[in-house]
């Protein structure tokens, strides 16, 4: 058996788009991924459908997998011939124990690569509006762990060197030892009025920042109930924050949205909310497996005058099936239509022009291409599109690998709004909520329920969820949950 290979990959600090290109390529080809708690679960969406996902994250009061078990698992999977990715938050070499893991692999002659990542000690301050160096404030920068192997858990470091020789200091996971840090920096020469900022959940929409000085920050952090994960930045550079902070000005900063998809065919607009600064948890995750093309449909392919793709997955799997059946795409004579705009882009990339389903006329035979268990009943399709043939080219089901991931994401978040785009999404939520640890009564008291169309609103109302719907201008508002105490536009897109 050929030995596998291990990629020790830095996932970045939280924002899923901060991963490197090389890191993303490793995820896409992985057969096994071991991932930490602070890795954004959205990165796992890029893994193969059959990739094994192993959680080995740590919480403040317990470990899911000890380091020795992680090392052993990396070895076992690689020796079994798998391509393995060890996905670590931030950069793997900055307090990420990558050296220990690489040593174990090297001792057993297992091939491996180390892929750097963006470290939170730089990224979190930048997302809070603070560069760690600046010609007017700081020409030196240090990264320091706030925990080490000392018996009492207090960092045993060169305090005098830090206090007198370094202008900007980033302490990792330092909340529990903050008082110890401040006392030692002051004792060894730092001025008590030296600016300090503690940044929790840096680069996420849930990011919180508390600003003070070495003499005041401990009390302010206690008052704000700030806990790890957090970066503590010490230095005059903190003064730049008010001028150049940018992330917190995004319209949906501070919003943590639960975006419900009722079936795989529903187009996801989660990326739009992410771009506006929100954290988005998609619920549930859907698994798509390739189906087949009926023999009768295959024989009629050249004769169809119109084809309607119900989803991007339908288009993707349709062309995969053509390839597997060795059907030349030049046989297709039909005009192509899509229910989703993203499918139009996919077809353009394949060299096909297409239009939206609203532009579909009634001239010529029609083939509708969707899932085997399409959410719209046959009579609805007949009513909408008239006589047609139907090809179910993929099978969709809830991806069980993500159940524990979604539960942990919901536990870590403070959900400000739940978004429903279809009736199916409401039904799915009501059936699955308890399974994912969502207590409906508590959510109803603290969470906005927003429906993107009337059908979803009616279904949610029938369940007694007290939903709100977009206004006449197709705008949605999240009320009372903004950290800026004002209404924020969630989306101006017509669904």
């Amino acid at each position: 058996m050929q030995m596998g290979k291990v990629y020790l990959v830095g996932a970045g600090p939280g924002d899923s788009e901060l991963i490197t290109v090389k890191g993303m390529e490793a995820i896409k080809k992985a057969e096994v991924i071991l991932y930490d708690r602070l890795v954004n679960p959205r990165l796992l969406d890029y893994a193969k459908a059959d990739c094994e996902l192993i959680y080995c994250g740590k919480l403040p009061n317990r470990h899911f997998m000890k380091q020795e078990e992680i090392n052993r698992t990396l070895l076992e999977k690689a020796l079994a011939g798998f391509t393995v990715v060890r996905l670590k938050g931030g950069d793997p070499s900055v307090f990420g124990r990558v050296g220990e893991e690489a040593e174990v692999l090297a001792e057993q002659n297992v091939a491996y690569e180390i892929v750097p990542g963006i470290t939170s000690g730089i990224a979190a301050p930048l997302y809070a509006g603070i560069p760690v160096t600046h010609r007017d404030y700081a020409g030196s920068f240090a990264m320091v762990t706030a925990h080490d192997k000392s018996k009492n858990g207090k960092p045993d470091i060169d305090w005098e060197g830090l206090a007198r020789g370094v202008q900007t200091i980033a302490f990792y996971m330092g909340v529990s030892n903050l008082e110890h840090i401040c006392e030692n920096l002051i004792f060894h020469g730092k001025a008590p009025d030296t600016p300090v900022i503690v940044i929790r959940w840096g680069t996420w929409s849930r990011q919180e920042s508390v600003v003070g000085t070495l003499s005041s920050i401990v009390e302010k952090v206690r008052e704000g109930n700030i806990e790890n994960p957090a970066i503590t930045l010490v230095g005059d550079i903190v003064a730049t924050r008010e001028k150049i902070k940018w992330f917190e000005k995004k319209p949906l900063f501070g919003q943590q949205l639960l975006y419900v998809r009722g079936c795989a065919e529903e187009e996801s607009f989660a990326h739009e909310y992410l771009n506006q600064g929100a954290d988005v948890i998609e619920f549930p995750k859907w698994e798509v497996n390739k189906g087949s093309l009926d023999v009768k449909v295959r024989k009629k392919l050249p004769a169809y005058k119109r084809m309607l793709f119900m989803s991007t997955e339908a288009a993707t799997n349709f062309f995969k099936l053509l390839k597997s059946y060795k059907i030349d795409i030049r046989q297709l004579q039909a005009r192509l239509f899509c229910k989703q705009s993203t499918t139009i882009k996919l077809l353009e990339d394949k060299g096909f022009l297409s239009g939206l389903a609203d532009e579909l006329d009634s001239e010529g035979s029609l083939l509708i291409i969707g899932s085997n268990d399409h959410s719209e009943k046959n009579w609805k399709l007949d009513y909408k599109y008239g006589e047609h043939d139907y090809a179910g080219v993929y099978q969709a089901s809830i991806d069980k690998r993500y159940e524990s991931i979604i539960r942990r994401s919901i536990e870590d978040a403070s959900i400000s709004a739940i978004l429903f785009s279809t009736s199916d999404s409401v039904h799915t939520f009501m059936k699955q909520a308890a399974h994912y640890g969502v207590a409906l009564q508590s959510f109803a008291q603290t969470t906005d329920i927003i429906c993107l169309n009337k059908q979803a609103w009616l279904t949610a109302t029938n369940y007694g969820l007290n939903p709100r719907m977009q206004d006449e201008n197709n705008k949605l508002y999240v009320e009372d949950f903004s950290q800026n105490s004002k209404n924020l536009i969630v989306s101006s897109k017509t669904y």
Side-chain angles (χ1 to χ4, degrees):
M1 179 185 295
Q2 185 176 357
M3 188 181 295
K5 185 172 182 178
V6 177
Y7 293 85
L8 305 165
V9 178
D15 184 336
S16 61
E17 293 184 337
L18 293 181
I19 192 168
T20 64
V21 173
K22 189 166 187 175
M24 181 62 78
E25 291 304 312
I27 290 172
K28 289 179 179 178
K29 62 187 176 186
E31 295 168 295
V32 180
I33 296 177
L34 287 80
Y35 65 99
D36 286 344
R37 177 196 174 206
L38 298 183
V39 168
N40 192 321
R42 297 190 67 81
L43 291 173
L44 302 177
D45 293 352
Y46 297 94
K48 296 177 181 178
D50 58 351
C51 179
E52 183 182 1
L53 305 178
I54 301 174
Y55 180 63
C56 48
K58 299 166 186 169
L59 294 173
N61 58 349
R62 67 183 187 276
H63 289 237
F64 273 77
M65 288 179 71
K66 292 186 176 181
Q67 188 61 50
E68 294 77 13
E69 188 179 356
I70 294 171
N71 296 346
R72 185 170 61 252
T73 304
L74 290 173
L75 276 176
E76 289 174 353
K77 296 297 183 180
L79 293 173
F82 294 108
T83 299
V84 184
V85 165
R86 173 74 173 100
L87 200 56
K88 295 169 164 289
D91 178 274
S93 69
V94 181
F95 314 122
R97 304 183 76 169
V98 74
E100 299 171 41
E101 294 172 358
E103 286 174 3
V104 170
L105 297 171
E107 288 170 0
Q108 298 297 322
N109 295 315
V110 173
Y112 65 90
E113 290 186 24
I114 302 176
V115 183
I118 296 174
T119 185
S120 57
I122 295 173
L126 278 174
Y127 271 57
I130 306 167
V132 294
T133 64
H134 189 294
R135 287 191 299 173
D136 295 334
Y137 296 94
S140 58
F141 168 61
M143 295 178 285
V144 183
T145 179
H147 292 83
D148 59 21
K149 289 186 175 181
S150 56
K151 291 182 180 179
N152 61 4
K154 307 293 185 184
D156 182 16
I157 53 183
D158 181 4
W159 288 109
E160 185 172 358
L162 279 178
R164 297 185 182 276
V166 182
Q167 292 165 304
T168 304
I169 313 169
F171 290 93
Y172 285 63
M173 297 295 185
V175 173
S176 61
N177 284 329
L178 187 58
E179 187 170 2
H180 177 76
I181 291 168
C182 294
E183 287 176 352
N184 275 277
L185 288 175
I186 293 172
F187 180 80
H188 288 90
K190 279 283 186 194
D193 62 353
T194 300
V196 181
I197 184 170
V198 177
I199 308 160
R200 185 172 190 245
W201 287 111
T203 79
W204 297 76
S205 184
R206 68 195 71 165
Q207 176 176 300
E208 296 178 81
S209 299
V210 176
V211 181
T213 64
L214 284 176
S215 61
S216 68
I217 192 66
V218 172
E219 187 60 33
K220 289 190 174 186
V221 165
R222 285 174 182 164
E223 290 174 357
N225 294 317
I226 303 298
E227 299 176 342
N228 286 323
I231 290 290
T232 300
L233 198 74
V234 180
D236 292 337
I237 196 76
V238 174
T240 64
R241 169 173 162 77
E242 291 308 314
K243 288 184 180 179
I244 65 174
K245 64 181 178 183
W246 59 275
F247 183 52
E248 294 164 30
K249 294 180 180 179
K250 287 199 168 191
L252 288 183
F253 175 77
Q255 302 301 317
Q256 298 171 58
L257 309 178
L258 188 65
Y259 186 96
V260 187
R261 292 176 66 200
C263 62
E265 288 188 343
E266 288 182 22
E267 187 173 9
S268 173
F269 297 101
H271 201 72
E272 293 187 9
Y273 306 126
L274 289 166
N275 286 340
Q276 294 182 61
D279 287 340
V280 181
I281 302 170
E282 289 195 63
F283 167 94
K285 290 290 186 183
W286 291 94
E287 180 181 16
V288 174
N289 295 306
K290 188 171 69 173
S292 61
L293 271 178
D294 185 85
V295 175
K296 292 181 180 179
V297 170
R298 275 185 266 161
K299 289 181 178 179
K300 292 174 64 176
L301 282 176
Y304 289 114
K305 301 300 182 185
R306 298 172 295 153
M307 288 184 180
L308 172 61
F309 295 99
M310 299 296 286
S311 65
T312 301
E313 289 83 0
T316 299
N317 285 280
F318 176 75
F319 286 101
K320 284 182 180 178
L321 287 170
L322 292 187
K323 183 177 179 180
S324 66
Y325 290 124
K326 299 188 183 303
I327 297 174
D328 193 327
I329 60 173
R330 289 173 294 184
Q331 293 184 34
L332 303 182
Q333 303 298 316
R335 289 170 290 123
L336 306 182
F337 299 89
C338 307
K339 198 169 181 183
Q340 300 172 358
S341 56
T342 50
T343 315
I344 292 178
K345 177 64 170 62
L346 182 144
L347 293 177
E348 285 178 353
D349 292 341
K350 293 181 177 295
F352 293 99
L353 296 178
S354 59
L356 285 170
D358 294 343
E359 304 168 18
L360 185 67
D361 55 35
S362 58
E363 296 180 10
S365 54
L366 170 65
L367 175 65
I368 297 179
I369 303 164
S371 68
N372 287 335
D373 52 347
H374 51 284
S375 58
E376 294 193 77
K377 305 300 182 184
N378 288 330
W379 68 267
K380 287 186 178 181
L381 292 176
D382 289 339
Y383 177 78
K384 283 185 178 180
Y385 306 113
E387 185 177 348
H388 64 274
D389 291 337
Y390 188 90
V393 296
Y394 67 95
Q395 182 73 42
S397 58
I398 293 176
D399 194 334
K400 302 294 184 183
R401 298 176 304 164
Y402 284 89
E403 289 183 354
S404 60
I405 297 171
I406 293 172
R407 284 195 201 100
R408 282 194 301 274
S409 297
I410 293 173
E411 287 174 3
D412 280 338
S414 297
I415 304 298
S416 52
I418 302 174
L419 271 60
F420 296 119
S421 57
T422 64
S423 292
D424 281 344
S425 66
V426 182
H427 291 307
T428 298
F429 177 78
M430 298 304 295
K431 290 177 183 176
Q432 298 291 330
H435 183 64
Y436 285 87
V438 177
L440 292 177
Q441 286 186 339
S442 61
F443 263 64
Q445 294 172 359
T446 61
T447 309
D448 231 4
I449 308 294
I450 301 177
C451 295
L452 307 187
N453 57 46
K454 189 173 182 179
Q455 291 74 26
W457 182 85
L458 288 170
T459 305
T461 300
N462 288 336
Y463 276 113
L465 292 181
N466 192 27
R468 292 186 299 107
M469 197 174 73
Q470 61 187 11
D471 66 13
E472 64 274 8
N473 297 316
N474 295 316
K475 291 181 180 179
L476 301 171
Y477 294 88
V478 176
E479 297 175 348
D480 303 326
F481 295 96
S482 167
Q483 293 184 3
N484 298 318
S485 299
K486 62 182 181 181
N487 293 343
L488 297 176
I489 299 175
V490 174
S491 175
S492 58
K493 184 178 182 68
T494 302
Y495 292 88

